[in-house]
Amino acid sequence: MTISVASSTQPAHLSAETTALLGRLILILLIAGALTVVDPGFASVSNLLNMLRQASLLFLIASGLTLVIIGGGLDLSVGANLTLSACLAAAAIKTTGNPWYGVVVAIVTGTLIGSVNGLMINRLQLPPFLATFGMLWVAQGVAYWFMAGQTIYGMPTSFRYFGTGFLLGVPLPIWIMLAVCLACSILLHRTTFGREAYFMGANQSAAFLSGVPVERRRLLLYMLSGLTSGIAALVYLARLNAAEPGIGEPLLLPAIAAVLVGGTSLFGGSGNIVGTVLGAVLLTIIVNGLNLLNVAATWHPFVNGAVVLIAILADLVISQRRSGST
């Protein structure tokens, strides 16, 4: 019965999401147009590519977080996961001299941390907030212990291509962002797994009673979140050419902000990965615009916080209207 209800409401759901995405796109164009009037240099090709490259780094860490939140969970360990994955990958590359060892180490480390998160929530019945908050400190602590106050720098040129290279005149991180976005979109909108993730986020009990293997799906969602953190670690490491224990600490809140500004509900069950791309782009444009306007860096968190609060309030209003209409 529940599945048939979900199918009947799907067209309206997609229409609302499309409208929301168009609204965010128009908002980005309006802000970009205003900043171009203030400073014509904003619309230069080099500045636009640089902003998209910055947005792609933010998106990569937010993409897996989007999947988890849509499924009704939360992953506060993505920043610490990136930190530990980058540090271990850097050590593997410097020790072996082979960049592919670093790629494998980062992917395995990120996915393993995501797996532990999923297992703690499934087996120990820990709330996602507590489980991933604890993992945040564990991963961060291991990274500090492993690095012992040192910084690993000087990655091979072939590895640095992940973060600094160009393909067809476009920075490689942007291509990676588009590839991850396409993969996540197909997963969410063209597979049974994606439909079950939305179902779990909307009503976990109903999903379980309808035969959805909730624990297995939840574990896979957290593994995907860890995987994207590992990919983000590789791009960050290649971009910065160095790894240190604090590399991922400032990234958690902007990643959550990109997800929320992109329209994914913190309550689960709605949202999409394209919205997270737009959220990452919007936040990056705002920071770039503040720099162009010579606004003191001390005001940047205030402005970003105001944008996130507006997004959360909009999410609450939309959720209340949906609840009232059902």
Side-chain angles (χ1 to χ4, degrees):
M1 177 181 70
T2 309
I3 293 178
S4 64
V5 171
S7 299
S8 67
T9 59
Q10 195 172 22
H13 175 66
L14 290 178
S15 178
E17 282 194 348
T18 301
T19 303
L21 289 176
L22 288 175
R24 284 170 174 80
L25 183 59
I26 292 172
L27 177 61
I28 289 173
L29 294 176
L30 289 175
I31 293 176
L35 290 172
T36 302
V37 172
V38 173
D39 186 343
F42 174 84
S44 66
V45 174
S46 61
N47 188 54
L48 292 177
L49 288 179
N50 184 55
M51 281 192 299
L52 286 175
R53 176 160 48 194
Q54 295 298 326
S56 67
L57 297 174
L58 178 58
F59 166 78
L60 287 176
I61 193 170
S63 57
L65 185 60
T66 302
L67 300 180
V68 168
I69 291 178
I70 285 175
L74 182 64
D75 189 353
L76 297 178
S77 68
V78 289
N81 190 338
L82 182 150
T83 297
L84 184 57
S85 298
C87 290
L88 295 179
I93 293 172
K94 294 296 286 186
T95 301
T96 65
N98 188 337
W100 289 109
Y101 281 102
V103 173
V104 172
V105 167
I107 297 299
V108 170
T109 302
T111 306
L112 182 61
I113 291 175
S115 302
V116 174
N117 282 332
L119 289 173
M120 285 195 296
I121 295 169
N122 281 341
R123 302 303 180 192
L124 303 180
Q125 300 296 309
L126 292 177
F129 176 89
L130 295 180
T132 58
F133 187 63
M135 180 57 72
L136 182 160
W137 291 104
V138 170
Q140 196 67 56
V142 172
Y144 274 105
W145 166 79
F146 180 78
M147 298 297 284
Q150 303 296 316
T151 298
I152 301 176
Y153 57 89
M155 298 297 111
T157 303
S158 58
F159 177 76
R160 295 208 63 202
Y161 184 73
F162 281 110
T164 60
F166 285 78
L167 179 63
L168 301 177
V170 177
L172 193 60
I174 297 177
W175 289 110
I176 297 175
M177 174 180 70
L178 294 176
V180 172
C181 179
L182 178 62
C184 291
S185 293
I186 293 174
L187 183 68
L188 285 173
H189 302 297
R190 293 289 184 271
T191 68
T192 302
F193 173 81
R195 289 190 290 274
E196 290 176 344
Y198 279 107
F199 197 2
M200 286 169 53
N203 192 326
Q204 182 174 306
S205 298
F208 176 76
L209 293 174
S210 298
V212 175
V214 172
E215 289 194 354
R216 277 186 287 172
R217 296 293 178 264
R218 183 187 294 122
L219 176 61
L220 187 53
L221 286 171
Y222 278 96
M223 290 176 67
L224 289 172
S225 180
L227 172 64
T228 55
S229 292
I231 295 173
L234 291 171
V235 177
Y236 265 80
L237 178 59
R239 174 72 176 162
L240 300 177
N241 196 27
E244 59 181 9
I247 188 175
E249 287 183 12
L251 300 175
L252 173 60
L253 294 182
I256 295 175
V259 176
L260 298 180
V261 172
T264 296
S265 173
L266 193 59
F267 304 104
S270 67
N272 61 74
I273 203 70
V274 176
T276 302
V277 173
L278 296 179
V281 171
L282 179 59
L283 292 175
T284 305
I285 287 179
I286 290 174
V287 171
N288 188 271
L290 293 175
N291 288 329
L292 289 177
L293 297 173
N294 293 319
V295 176
T298 52
W299 284 99
H300 292 193
F302 172 83
V303 175
N304 284 329
V307 173
V308 173
L309 285 176
I310 292 173
I312 293 174
L313 289 174
D315 179 37
L316 286 173
V317 171
I318 292 172
S319 298
Q320 289 173 352
R321 287 184 177 179
R322 284 177 179 169
S323 300
S325 62
T326 56

